[in-house]
Amino acid sequence: MDYEVRKYGQQSEIIKEESEEEEKDQHAIEFGLALHYTLEMIADFDESAIDEAISIAMNRYGAYLSEADFTSIKRRVSHLVTDEKFKMLSTGVITKERAISFKGELRYIDLLVQQEEGWVIMDYKSAKGHAEQYHKQVGFYKQAVAGITNDKVSGYLVYMLEEGCEIIEV
């Protein structure tokens, strides 16, 4: 039989633990928003534009994130813009943070690229996890773009990690 530690009469400890979890979640949310915003601000995914995009993001999210967070964002963005697969997939007419309404739902596609042979959808993620949910999300985007354009559509999850980026077709 497994023993479960209970904290009877110690509500302050439970509240403290919940508060710490909320802070971690809020930090992860702010980090993800700042990462997306940096990508939105970077001109044509040019490596020389990263510093300016980081500066713009710092002006917006500096009250919520540390210098180390922005160093991490810069590293992740640098990995992305120098990735050969990303360069190939992002060649074409680029639209960032594209609003799309389909089947009564309004969603935002992180990166939509129109190429000669069809459309490429990329959805940025700052951490792995929730893979099934992410696949469904990109699948919805693919269905929406194909339904609207009647063109070929491919979709990718772009994991922007500290050690590099991983681009996975969905």
Side-chain angles (χ1 to χ4, degrees):
M1 186 163 145
D2 292 332
Y3 176 75
E4 182 180 339
V5 176
R6 306 229 181 210
K7 296 183 178 182
Y8 297 113
Q10 298 179 17
Q11 289 88 357
S12 62
E13 287 299 315
I14 294 170
I15 291 169
K16 180 180 175 189
E17 287 174 10
E18 289 174 354
S19 177
E20 288 171 358
E21 280 301 312
E22 286 174 11
E23 285 178 25
K24 287 179 190 174
D25 290 346
Q26 188 60 40
H27 178 265
I29 290 167
E30 295 295 340
F31 184 90
L33 290 171
L35 176 63
H36 278 77
Y37 188 70
T38 302
L39 291 165
E40 190 177 349
M41 294 297 108
I42 195 166
D44 299 322
F45 298 111
D46 187 304
E47 197 171 3
S48 66
I50 294 173
D51 285 337
E52 183 178 353
I54 290 289
S55 178
I56 294 168
M58 287 177 80
N59 285 334
R60 187 169 195 170
Y61 292 96
Y64 308 106
L65 298 174
S66 69
E67 188 174 327
D69 290 325
F70 287 104
T71 299
S72 177
I73 289 170
K74 181 177 180 177
R75 186 176 307 115
R76 292 166 191 242
V77 172
S78 294
H79 289 313
L80 181 70
V81 301
T82 59
D83 185 272
E84 291 304 317
K85 186 173 185 177
F86 178 77
K87 286 179 183 181
M88 181 191 71
L89 291 171
S90 62
T91 300
V93 179
I94 293 174
T95 306
K96 300 174 185 178
E97 297 298 325
R98 174 68 177 173
I100 188 164
S101 179
F102 186 70
K103 292 187 177 182
E105 292 188 45
L106 178 64
R107 305 260 187 110
Y108 291 87
I109 298 173
D110 291 340
L111 184 64
L112 181 63
V113 183
Q114 185 177 14
Q115 298 181 331
E116 285 184 26
E117 48 294 331
W119 298 86
V120 175
I121 294 167
M122 287 187 255
D123 193 56
Y124 308 126
K125 301 297 177 195
S126 59
K128 287 191 165 182
H130 309 291
E132 185 177 329
Q133 177 186 342
Y134 295 159
H135 281 260
K136 285 181 183 177
Q137 180 182 6
V138 173
F140 177 87
Y141 295 155
K142 286 172 58 178
Q143 182 184 19
V145 172
I148 293 167
T149 65
N150 291 317
D151 290 337
K152 178 185 170 199
V153 179
S154 58
Y156 298 85
L157 284 167
V158 179
Y159 291 102
M160 299 179 62
L161 309 171
E162 277 286 327
E163 59 277 0
C165 68
E166 291 181 36
I167 301 173
I168 299 168
E169 188 167 6
V170 176

